[in-house]
Amino acid sequence: MRKLIFAMNMSLDGYIAAPGDDLGWSVPSDELFQWWSDRVDATGLALYGRKLWETMSSDWPTADKQPGATPAAIEFARRWRDMPKVVFSSTTSTVGWNTRLVTGDPVAEITRLKADDGGPMDIGGATLAGAAMRAGLIDEYAIVTHPVLVGGGTPFFTALDNWVNLNLVETRTFPDGVLLTRYETR
């Protein structure tokens, strides 16, 4: 059975995007960018909601070809293109870069994918991750907290019907006061 991990940047007040889908507050240090790149390299399958897919696919497929691309960006772009991906959307019609589109029930498909063999799965996007959270499908939360208050936007966590008890498995500090906390569900 595959492990499902929800990993995202988060503001200290609990948002993955500020109002207007602004992500400018979450620009990573070189060390944090390398951590994200290594996560992509270790991911067996990435699950994206439509909005996060649009954000990622607007940049990373060709980021390594841009003038001034750093070695880290070149490496991340290659890893991202090579990583198998599934996009869940009822409005997107085409995807590329080693990606499959799912238009049906995301909870049923994620449940099926978890039962498969393979490496860990990362899930990203507030709506998609929220559905998986409510269904009890997430095995680990990797929260990269930035020391900024954005005052609103897209929350990291969704409303739940029941408590989810967690065990802390890792903490790590990155430059600029960014803190990684990883929790596994009990």
Side-chain angles (χ1 to χ4, degrees):
M1 177 173 265
R2 292 178 132 170
K3 183 177 192 177
L4 182 61
I5 304 164
F6 181 31
M8 295 285 292
N9 289 305
M10 182 179 81
S11 66
L12 187 59
D13 54 349
Y15 297 95
I16 61 174
D21 294 327
D22 184 354
L23 300 173
W25 54 270
S26 64
V27 175
S29 65
D30 290 345
E31 186 180 337
L32 180 56
F33 186 76
Q34 186 63 53
W35 181 84
W36 281 115
S37 184
D38 292 344
R39 280 196 60 75
V40 166
D41 195 44
T43 298
L45 181 64
L47 311 179
Y48 286 108
R50 179 193 53 82
K51 286 174 77 172
L52 184 57
W53 167 253
E54 288 173 353
T55 298
M56 297 297 285
S57 67
S58 70
D59 187 43
W60 290 112
T62 59
D64 55 336
K65 308 286 190 254
Q66 300 305 312
T70 65
I74 291 167
E75 178 183 50
F76 185 91
R78 178 192 54 78
R79 287 174 166 181
W80 186 86
R81 279 192 310 266
D82 291 348
M83 175 181 58
K85 297 170 280 300
V86 175
V87 173
F88 293 83
S89 175
S90 59
T91 58
T92 300
S93 58
T94 59
V95 293
W97 310 287
N98 203 17
T99 305
R100 179 173 64 90
L101 178 64
V102 172
T103 58
D105 177 18
V107 170
E109 181 63 10
I110 293 168
T111 300
R112 188 190 71 72
L113 290 168
K114 278 190 70 163
D116 285 347
D117 291 331
M121 297 187 304
D122 269 8
I123 188 168
T127 303
L128 181 62
M133 247 184 258
R134 284 186 302 278
L137 296 174
I138 296 181
D139 301 300
E140 181 181 313
Y141 295 86
I143 305 166
V144 179
T145 306
H146 293 253
V148 61
L149 304 173
V150 299
T154 306
F156 185 97
F157 293 102
T158 190
L160 298 172
D161 295 328
N162 300 300
W163 292 7
V164 177
N165 293 307
L166 306 170
N167 289 322
L168 178 65
V169 294
E170 180 184 6
T171 60
R172 180 174 170 185
T173 303
F174 288 95
D176 305 319
V178 174
L179 179 64
L180 164 69
T181 51
R182 287 183 40 238
Y183 298 90
E184 289 181 343
T185 57
R186 282 194 238 162

